[in-house]
Amino acid sequence: MQSVDTRILIVDDDDFALDILEATVTRMGYSVVAARNGEEALAILRQGDIHLMVTDWDMPVMNGIDLCRAVRREDMAGYVYIIMLTGREGPKQRLEGLCAGADDFINKPVDPEELLICLKTASRILSLETRDLALFAMAKLAESRDSETGAHIERVQSYTRLIAQNLAQEVRHQYGVDEGYIRLLHQTSPLHDLGKVAIPDAILLKPGKLTADEFEVMKTHTIIGAQTLDAALQRFPNAQFLQIAREIAESHHEKFDGSGYPRGLAGEQIPLCGRIVAVADVYDALTSRRVYKDAMSHASALEIIRRDCGSHFDPEVVDAFFRAEKQIIAVHERFADETRVDEELALPPAPPPQQREHGICKILVAEDDPVLLAKLTELLSATGAPIIARENGADALAAMLEHNPRIIVSDWVMPGMDGVQLCRKVRERDAAAPVHFIMLTAHTDTSRLLDAYEAGINDFVSKPFNPEELLARVRAGLRSTKLHDELARKAAGSQAMNAQLAIMNSRLERLSITDELTGLFNRRHAMTRLDEQWALVDRYGRPLTIAMVDIDHFKRINDAYGHDAGDSVLRRVAGMLRDQTRGTDAVCRVGGEEFLVMFPAQTSQEAFICIDRFRRAVAANPFDIGKSQIQVTISAGIAMRSRQMLHVPDLLKASDEALYAAKRAGRNTTIVSAEGEGRTPEAAPAKTEDGAPVNYAAVLERCGGDPTFAAAITEKFRKHAIEEVGKIEQAHREGNADQLRRSAHTAKSMCAYMSVDRASKLANEIEDLGRVARLDDVSALLIRLRQEVEMAIEWIDKNEPAAQAAARG
């Protein structure tokens, strides 16, 4: 299954990147809606029919971070999964994105396989959120109409799963009960009373037994629930979970002998899911307190289920229930309502009131008239919540601190501390859960009522009060507190998930920059660090030296002793190299047996002392390989950046040439390049590792292997890359830092997608300078950027057909 909703919103102000993304995502089977800034994207999301968004970080009008924050602030009719595209790396940037509300990150240029994995992950999470949370929310909506039910749906949901798991093997085989069916049954069983949302309050909330006519109305909740789910099935006819939910809603009050309702089905005419939920529902009703009855003991409930086996209940289902008895008791204890009458379950004693959870809704009544206090206590007992009665404000405040009530009904005028003063004290307290405060008053003066509202009153009931009105307002307060608790639980779950995601992202980031075998930085991070150091040299004029280190005759070690021995040598050499360098030096593994060491702010002479000390240490300490000892040596080439070096590869080339010179000199030696000492290096052409300024194979891969699409993207680069460079030059002439930054961002993206790496890095430097409005430093970079782009276009003009053929071959 691909996705609950195959529509994706892509947000990027860069037309070049937008075209590639749109084509790539479309090829994956999604339909695309495009936006070019955050405000446009927000307007689309507010329509409520898109829940998956891929957005760039840097955009005009509203950037990706501000867009994330706006989405998380608003109700978008469901969760919006956000994938952030960024050329920024580092934990601070990713942490900023996570805090703003992003769910995942992809670096530009986008790798199609990485994007597909992210989209599948998003679809899976949205599917779970859409189904599981929607089902539970629908069930809670039905249950919220009746404050008597407590944790009813949680218990029935768990009982249902346990019964299904304990069905006899032959029954499971007959009805196709596997883990998938059990999972769907567990997810959908909370909807068994969905139809109660349409039952009038006078019947649903009646504090006593129903009359025959009222019971006939109550019975219609099965038909209403089935009809509600039928409407959903018309739109999603292949949704198996909706079909099971419908069968449960309609049939859970059918009886095995045909005397149930609404259709009088008998035996196997009743869907198995309905027969299972029937036992779970009745057991919970028997063992739970209601306003019209006390809770029955576990043993008494078992006797009734055993007695009605074969008449009310399916014998096979009853057998499964008894096989799961111990687990049933455990669930009953875990989801117990506050008031329980069940000595046989041996529950632990209730904790002291001050230690109880705020989620238990208690009602505190404060009234100085004993007769009225008794009347209020009796009336509010119909809610099923525990009542705490006090005759003055001071005693009520003490009870508040002890019992943590969620509803307070208080008279205004009381001796000592009146109702308004009590409310102020309550609001001053740093409670973990809110308190709904209802004031009883004969006052009609508007200014006094406004003062009471300022003190924190939620609601007023005028004296003499109407009992039905007061009861309705208290029940509304109970519903409000339950909704708050539900949202708090979800928020706590989200915070825990965000913390886990932050940890996972930190681990993934560490893995992305680390060589798995040696624990050193990998080649990708080495090049990033080297670019950073290069920029610091440009800015501050301090020296920069690097060393290329290679293990001599490493292939012989692998051939003679095996690859495990070779890995052991690599790890030990890496450890020795790390120990011989400073904390500010960057040590990286850039090849099989090749290491790169960066020495910021050090000359070649200083680097030589460190590297040659390391070389001598390796040569002086034979390596233990099993029962053998082998002699390992290393060769090293050192180069310091000179003024004649225009690019990072020039420095790398100088250190490589010094390393080869060390090899030619007989190995086990360290040689310093003469280029860093003043010799002018030869001009180095702008080339990638395969000798071409454009890596067409990488372009083809980003285009999903489609040569037609790759050719179209290449043509767009050929036509518009110089135009983007011209926009940067114009913004530079006009001193428009914001326009310069945006144009450089677009040029960076175009070059990165075409694997014109040096041009992309130059555009990135220009973008950074535009961000801090340092336009005076842009001129030299602009000259080099135009040269690199022109060279790439020239290569495309001459070599594209051959490159296409080679990439396809």
Side-chain angles (χ1 to χ4, degrees), residues 269-309:
Q269 292 177 327
I270 307 169
L272 177 63
C273 55
R275 285 177 266 158
I276 292 173
V277 173
V279 175
D281 189 34
V282 169
Y283 172 77
D284 190 66
L286 293 172
T287 55
S288 300
R289 181 187 180 278
R290 295 292 182 264
V291 68
Y292 52 85
K293 75 173 189 69
D294 288 329
M296 190 176 290
S297 72
H298 174 69
S300 300
L302 293 191
E303 285 301 317
I304 291 176
I305 291 174
R306 188 178 288 110
R307 182 196 68 195
D308 291 346
C309 179

Tab-separated table of all heavy atoms in Angstrom, residues 269-309:
chain	number	residue	atom	x	y	z
A	269	GLN	N	-24.700	-17.033	12.308
A	269	GLN	CA	-25.154	-15.865	11.541
A	269	GLN	C	-24.550	-14.574	12.086
A	269	GLN	O	-24.374	-13.601	11.360
A	269	GLN	CB	-26.688	-15.761	11.609
A	269	GLN	CG	-27.434	-16.872	10.886
A	269	GLN	CD	-28.941	-16.721	11.061
A	269	GLN	OE1	-29.408	-16.266	12.093
A	269	GLN	NE2	-29.690	-17.109	10.043
A	270	ILE	N	-24.241	-14.593	13.377
A	270	ILE	CA	-23.622	-13.425	14.003
A	270	ILE	C	-22.136	-13.422	13.646
A	270	ILE	O	-21.457	-14.434	13.833
A	270	ILE	CB	-23.762	-13.478	15.541
A	270	ILE	CG1	-25.224	-13.687	15.941
A	270	ILE	CG2	-23.210	-12.203	16.177
A	270	ILE	CD1	-25.404	-14.006	17.424
A	271	PRO	N	-21.607	-12.336	13.116
A	271	PRO	CA	-20.173	-12.311	12.801
A	271	PRO	C	-19.341	-12.652	14.037
A	271	PRO	O	-19.690	-12.290	15.165
A	271	PRO	CB	-19.941	-10.870	12.340
A	271	PRO	CG	-21.275	-10.385	11.882
A	271	PRO	CD	-22.283	-11.075	12.749
A	272	LEU	N	-18.230	-13.348	13.821
A	272	LEU	CA	-17.381	-13.746	14.939
A	272	LEU	C	-16.935	-12.531	15.751
A	272	LEU	O	-16.892	-12.577	16.989
A	272	LEU	CB	-16.148	-14.501	14.429
A	272	LEU	CG	-15.132	-14.915	15.498
A	272	LEU	CD1	-15.751	-15.892	16.490
A	272	LEU	CD2	-13.878	-15.513	14.859
A	273	CYS	N	-16.614	-11.428	15.085
A	273	CYS	CA	-16.170	-10.245	15.820
A	273	CYS	C	-17.252	-9.742	16.766
A	273	CYS	O	-16.960	-9.301	17.895
A	273	CYS	CB	-15.754	-9.145	14.847
A	273	CYS	SG	-17.010	-8.686	13.639
A	274	GLY	N	-18.531	-9.817	16.351
A	274	GLY	CA	-19.628	-9.410	17.219
A	274	GLY	C	-19.801	-10.337	18.400
A	274	GLY	O	-20.085	-9.892	19.520
A	275	ARG	N	-19.604	-11.646	18.195
A	275	ARG	CA	-19.716	-12.610	19.300
A	275	ARG	C	-18.613	-12.391	20.329
A	275	ARG	O	-18.820	-12.542	21.534
A	275	ARG	CB	-19.648	-14.029	18.749
A	275	ARG	CG	-20.928	-14.483	18.039
A	275	ARG	CD	-20.760	-15.874	17.460
A	275	ARG	NE	-20.330	-15.845	16.065
A	275	ARG	CZ	-19.723	-16.838	15.441
A	275	ARG	NH1	-19.418	-17.939	16.096
A	275	ARG	NH2	-19.395	-16.731	14.167
A	276	ILE	N	-17.413	-12.039	19.854
A	276	ILE	CA	-16.298	-11.804	20.777
A	276	ILE	C	-16.527	-10.533	21.584
A	276	ILE	O	-16.390	-10.518	22.818
A	276	ILE	CB	-14.974	-11.707	19.991
A	276	ILE	CG1	-14.618	-13.073	19.393
A	276	ILE	CG2	-13.841	-11.214	20.889
A	276	ILE	CD1	-13.420	-13.039	18.466
A	277	VAL	N	-16.909	-9.443	20.908
A	277	VAL	CA	-17.122	-8.177	21.613
A	277	VAL	C	-18.294	-8.287	22.580
A	277	VAL	O	-18.297	-7.645	23.642
A	277	VAL	CB	-17.324	-7.029	20.599
A	277	VAL	CG1	-17.713	-5.733	21.310
A	277	VAL	CG2	-16.058	-6.805	19.793
A	278	ALA	N	-19.297	-9.114	22.270
A	278	ALA	CA	-20.438	-9.289	23.171
A	278	ALA	C	-19.986	-9.762	24.544
A	278	ALA	O	-20.418	-9.232	25.581
A	278	ALA	CB	-21.431	-10.281	22.567
A	279	VAL	N	-19.103	-10.758	24.596
A	279	VAL	CA	-18.615	-11.255	25.884
A	279	VAL	C	-17.791	-10.185	26.593
A	279	VAL	O	-17.953	-9.939	27.792
A	279	VAL	CB	-17.774	-12.542	25.680
A	279	VAL	CG1	-17.163	-12.995	27.002
A	279	VAL	CG2	-18.637	-13.646	25.096
A	280	ALA	N	-16.881	-9.522	25.841
A	280	ALA	CA	-16.038	-8.496	26.453
A	280	ALA	C	-16.877	-7.341	26.988
A	280	ALA	O	-16.641	-6.841	28.103
A	280	ALA	CB	-15.041	-7.978	25.414
A	281	ASP	N	-17.894	-6.918	26.235
A	281	ASP	CA	-18.728	-5.788	26.617
A	281	ASP	C	-19.567	-6.106	27.854
A	281	ASP	O	-19.664	-5.307	28.790
A	281	ASP	CB	-19.620	-5.413	25.442
A	281	ASP	CG	-20.372	-4.103	25.655
A	281	ASP	OD1	-19.802	-3.206	26.305
A	281	ASP	OD2	-21.511	-3.985	25.182
A	282	VAL	N	-20.174	-7.295	27.898
A	282	VAL	CA	-21.022	-7.670	29.034
A	282	VAL	C	-20.178	-7.826	30.297
A	282	VAL	O	-20.564	-7.371	31.384
A	282	VAL	CB	-21.797	-8.958	28.718
A	282	VAL	CG1	-22.466	-9.498	29.978
A	282	VAL	CG2	-22.843	-8.694	27.645
A	283	TYR	N	-19.012	-8.475	30.179
A	283	TYR	CA	-18.164	-8.637	31.360
A	283	TYR	C	-17.791	-7.271	31.946
A	283	TYR	O	-17.840	-7.068	33.162
A	283	TYR	CB	-16.897	-9.416	31.015
A	283	TYR	CG	-15.896	-9.443	32.158
A	283	TYR	CD1	-16.079	-10.284	33.246
A	283	TYR	CD2	-14.805	-8.583	32.157
A	283	TYR	CE1	-15.177	-10.280	34.316
A	283	TYR	CE2	-13.899	-8.568	33.210
A	283	TYR	CZ	-14.087	-9.427	34.283
A	283	TYR	OH	-13.201	-9.406	35.335
A	284	ASP	N	-17.444	-6.319	31.084
A	284	ASP	CA	-17.060	-5.007	31.599
A	284	ASP	C	-18.255	-4.292	32.203
A	284	ASP	O	-18.111	-3.606	33.223
A	284	ASP	CB	-16.450	-4.157	30.482
A	284	ASP	CG	-15.832	-2.883	31.024
A	284	ASP	OD1	-14.825	-2.991	31.766
A	284	ASP	OD2	-16.364	-1.804	30.750
A	285	ALA	N	-19.440	-4.440	31.598
A	285	ALA	CA	-20.628	-3.807	32.156
A	285	ALA	C	-20.962	-4.384	33.531
A	285	ALA	O	-21.351	-3.651	34.452
A	285	ALA	CB	-21.809	-3.993	31.211
A	286	LEU	N	-20.781	-5.700	33.695
A	286	LEU	CA	-21.084	-6.343	34.974
A	286	LEU	C	-20.123	-5.901	36.071
A	286	LEU	O	-20.524	-5.712	37.224
A	286	LEU	CB	-21.044	-7.863	34.827
A	286	LEU	CG	-22.135	-8.498	33.943
A	286	LEU	CD1	-21.848	-9.984	33.745
A	286	LEU	CD2	-23.517	-8.306	34.567
A	287	THR	N	-18.856	-5.745	35.738
A	287	THR	CA	-17.839	-5.478	36.761
A	287	THR	C	-17.540	-3.990	36.927
A	287	THR	O	-16.602	-3.625	37.626
A	287	THR	CB	-16.531	-6.206	36.409
A	287	THR	OG1	-16.118	-5.836	35.092
A	287	THR	CG2	-16.710	-7.714	36.475
A	288	SER	N	-18.342	-3.132	36.312
A	288	SER	CA	-18.143	-1.682	36.429
A	288	SER	C	-19.338	-1.038	37.117
A	288	SER	O	-20.479	-1.467	36.943
A	288	SER	CB	-17.960	-1.049	35.045
A	288	SER	OG	-16.836	-1.598	34.393
A	289	ARG	N	-19.065	-0.003	37.886
A	289	ARG	CA	-20.118	0.720	38.592
A	289	ARG	C	-20.857	1.646	37.631
A	289	ARG	O	-20.252	2.266	36.770
A	289	ARG	CB	-19.514	1.535	39.734
A	289	ARG	CG	-20.531	2.320	40.545
A	289	ARG	CD	-19.824	3.234	41.541
A	289	ARG	NE	-20.757	3.990	42.340
A	289	ARG	CZ	-21.348	5.125	41.950
A	289	ARG	NH1	-21.077	5.614	40.757
A	289	ARG	NH2	-22.202	5.764	42.733
A	290	ARG	N	-22.164	1.709	37.784
A	290	ARG	CA	-22.980	2.676	37.069
A	290	ARG	C	-23.866	3.390	38.077
A	290	ARG	O	-24.050	2.920	39.199
A	290	ARG	CB	-23.851	1.990	35.987
A	290	ARG	CG	-23.034	1.343	34.873
A	290	ARG	CD	-22.335	2.389	34.038
A	290	ARG	NE	-21.582	1.780	32.948
A	290	ARG	CZ	-20.289	1.503	32.988
A	290	ARG	NH1	-19.606	1.786	34.104
A	290	ARG	NH2	-19.671	0.967	31.975
A	291	VAL	N	-24.438	4.519	37.671
A	291	VAL	CA	-25.238	5.295	38.598
A	291	VAL	C	-26.444	4.502	39.084
A	291	VAL	O	-26.948	4.726	40.188
A	291	VAL	CB	-25.676	6.623	37.935
A	291	VAL	CG1	-26.655	6.383	36.804
A	291	VAL	CG2	-26.267	7.572	38.976
A	292	TYR	N	-26.916	3.530	38.286
A	292	TYR	CA	-28.099	2.753	38.652
A	292	TYR	C	-27.751	1.398	39.267
A	292	TYR	O	-28.637	0.614	39.586
A	292	TYR	CB	-28.991	2.543	37.418
A	292	TYR	CG	-28.271	1.972	36.234
A	292	TYR	CD1	-28.081	0.607	36.089
A	292	TYR	CD2	-27.763	2.822	35.246
A	292	TYR	CE1	-27.406	0.084	35.003
A	292	TYR	CE2	-27.079	2.304	34.165
A	292	TYR	CZ	-26.906	0.939	34.033
A	292	TYR	OH	-26.227	0.419	32.960
A	293	LYS	N	-26.435	1.088	39.436
A	293	LYS	CA	-26.059	-0.195	40.018
A	293	LYS	C	-24.629	-0.131	40.537
A	293	LYS	O	-23.840	0.714	40.114
A	293	LYS	CB	-26.178	-1.322	38.987
A	293	LYS	CG	-25.072	-1.344	37.949
A	293	LYS	CD	-25.147	-2.560	37.082
A	293	LYS	CE	-23.908	-2.680	36.195
A	293	LYS	NZ	-22.703	-2.987	36.962
A	294	ASP	N	-24.302	-1.051	41.446
A	294	ASP	CA	-22.936	-1.190	41.915
A	294	ASP	C	-22.180	-2.158	41.013
A	294	ASP	O	-22.779	-2.942	40.260
A	294	ASP	CB	-22.923	-1.723	43.353
A	294	ASP	CG	-23.386	-0.668	44.344
A	294	ASP	OD1	-23.157	0.521	44.069
A	294	ASP	OD2	-23.984	-1.046	45.371
A	295	ALA	N	-20.860	-2.104	41.110
A	295	ALA	CA	-20.037	-3.050	40.351
A	295	ALA	C	-20.174	-4.452	40.940
A	295	ALA	O	-20.250	-4.633	42.149
A	295	ALA	CB	-18.584	-2.607	40.384
A	296	MET	N	-20.192	-5.430	40.065
A	296	MET	CA	-20.296	-6.828	40.476
A	296	MET	C	-18.898	-7.404	40.623
A	296	MET	O	-17.955	-6.968	39.955
A	296	MET	CB	-21.080	-7.599	39.396
A	296	MET	CG	-21.497	-9.001	39.767
A	296	MET	SD	-22.502	-9.723	38.445
A	296	MET	CE	-23.998	-8.758	38.610
A	297	SER	N	-18.730	-8.381	41.499
A	297	SER	CA	-17.421	-9.014	41.665
A	297	SER	C	-17.056	-9.821	40.429
A	297	SER	O	-17.923	-10.210	39.635
A	297	SER	CB	-17.418	-9.910	42.900
A	297	SER	OG	-18.193	-11.074	42.654
A	298	HIS	N	-15.761	-10.070	40.292
A	298	HIS	CA	-15.282	-10.877	39.173
A	298	HIS	C	-15.938	-12.256	39.159
A	298	HIS	O	-16.396	-12.744	38.119
A	298	HIS	CB	-13.758	-11.007	39.277
A	298	HIS	CG	-13.143	-11.932	38.280
A	298	HIS	ND1	-13.087	-11.649	36.940
A	298	HIS	CD2	-12.567	-13.162	38.443
A	298	HIS	CE1	-12.495	-12.648	36.296
A	298	HIS	NE2	-12.170	-13.581	37.186
A	299	ALA	N	-16.014	-12.905	40.332
A	299	ALA	CA	-16.593	-14.256	40.414
A	299	ALA	C	-18.063	-14.242	40.016
A	299	ALA	O	-18.537	-15.145	39.304
A	299	ALA	CB	-16.413	-14.820	41.822
A	300	SER	N	-18.803	-13.228	40.462
A	300	SER	CA	-20.228	-13.150	40.114
A	300	SER	C	-20.414	-12.953	38.615
A	300	SER	O	-21.326	-13.527	38.004
A	300	SER	CB	-20.887	-12.012	40.890
A	300	SER	OG	-20.776	-12.217	42.282
A	301	ALA	N	-19.561	-12.114	38.023
A	301	ALA	CA	-19.657	-11.902	36.580
A	301	ALA	C	-19.363	-13.194	35.816
A	301	ALA	O	-20.029	-13.511	34.811
A	301	ALA	CB	-18.677	-10.807	36.156
A	302	LEU	N	-18.387	-13.990	36.294
A	302	LEU	CA	-18.079	-15.261	35.635
A	302	LEU	C	-19.266	-16.210	35.699
A	302	LEU	O	-19.529	-16.961	34.740
A	302	LEU	CB	-16.852	-15.908	36.278
A	302	LEU	CG	-15.505	-15.198	36.115
A	302	LEU	CD1	-14.370	-16.111	36.590
A	302	LEU	CD2	-15.262	-14.786	34.680
A	303	GLU	N	-19.956	-16.209	36.824
A	303	GLU	CA	-21.112	-17.094	36.955
A	303	GLU	C	-22.189	-16.743	35.935
A	303	GLU	O	-22.813	-17.620	35.333
A	303	GLU	CB	-21.679	-16.993	38.381
A	303	GLU	CG	-20.851	-17.716	39.430
A	303	GLU	CD	-20.717	-19.203	39.120
A	303	GLU	OE1	-21.723	-19.838	38.734
A	303	GLU	OE2	-19.590	-19.728	39.221
A	304	ILE	N	-22.410	-15.455	35.731
A	304	ILE	CA	-23.438	-15.038	34.752
A	304	ILE	C	-23.009	-15.430	33.341
A	304	ILE	O	-23.814	-15.929	32.539
A	304	ILE	CB	-23.684	-13.524	34.872
A	304	ILE	CG1	-24.368	-13.211	36.204
A	304	ILE	CG2	-24.511	-13.019	33.696
A	304	ILE	CD1	-24.571	-11.737	36.466
A	305	ILE	N	-21.732	-15.208	33.003
A	305	ILE	CA	-21.257	-15.576	31.661
A	305	ILE	C	-21.344	-17.080	31.463
A	305	ILE	O	-21.756	-17.563	30.389
A	305	ILE	CB	-19.818	-15.061	31.460
A	305	ILE	CG1	-19.825	-13.523	31.380
A	305	ILE	CG2	-19.195	-15.644	30.199
A	305	ILE	CD1	-18.460	-12.899	31.329
A	306	ARG	N	-20.995	-17.843	32.491
A	306	ARG	CA	-21.086	-19.309	32.403
A	306	ARG	C	-22.539	-19.746	32.255
A	306	ARG	O	-22.856	-20.650	31.465
A	306	ARG	CB	-20.446	-19.941	33.648
A	306	ARG	CG	-20.327	-21.461	33.565
A	306	ARG	CD	-19.641	-22.023	34.800
A	306	ARG	NE	-18.217	-21.724	34.823
A	306	ARG	CZ	-17.649	-20.876	35.677
A	306	ARG	NH1	-18.383	-20.239	36.580
A	306	ARG	NH2	-16.354	-20.659	35.630
A	307	ARG	N	-23.443	-19.090	33.003
A	307	ARG	CA	-24.865	-19.434	32.943
A	307	ARG	C	-25.458	-19.165	31.558
A	307	ARG	O	-26.280	-19.932	31.043
A	307	ARG	CB	-25.619	-18.616	33.999
A	307	ARG	CG	-27.119	-18.903	34.089
A	307	ARG	CD	-27.800	-17.796	34.865
A	307	ARG	NE	-27.779	-16.533	34.128
A	307	ARG	CZ	-28.032	-15.348	34.675
A	307	ARG	NH1	-28.263	-15.234	35.972
A	307	ARG	NH2	-28.008	-14.256	33.923
A	308	ASP	N	-25.021	-18.052	30.935
A	308	ASP	CA	-25.602	-17.654	29.651
A	308	ASP	C	-24.846	-18.218	28.454
A	308	ASP	O	-25.110	-17.839	27.302
A	308	ASP	CB	-25.621	-16.130	29.550
A	308	ASP	CG	-26.628	-15.515	30.517
A	308	ASP	OD1	-27.470	-16.260	31.038
A	308	ASP	OD2	-26.557	-14.291	30.752
A	309	CYS	N	-23.878	-19.102	28.704
A	309	CYS	CA	-23.146	-19.745	27.608
A	309	CYS	C	-24.104	-20.624	26.811
A	309	CYS	O	-24.801	-21.489	27.361
A	309	CYS	CB	-22.015	-20.603	28.199
A	309	CYS	SG	-21.058	-21.477	26.961
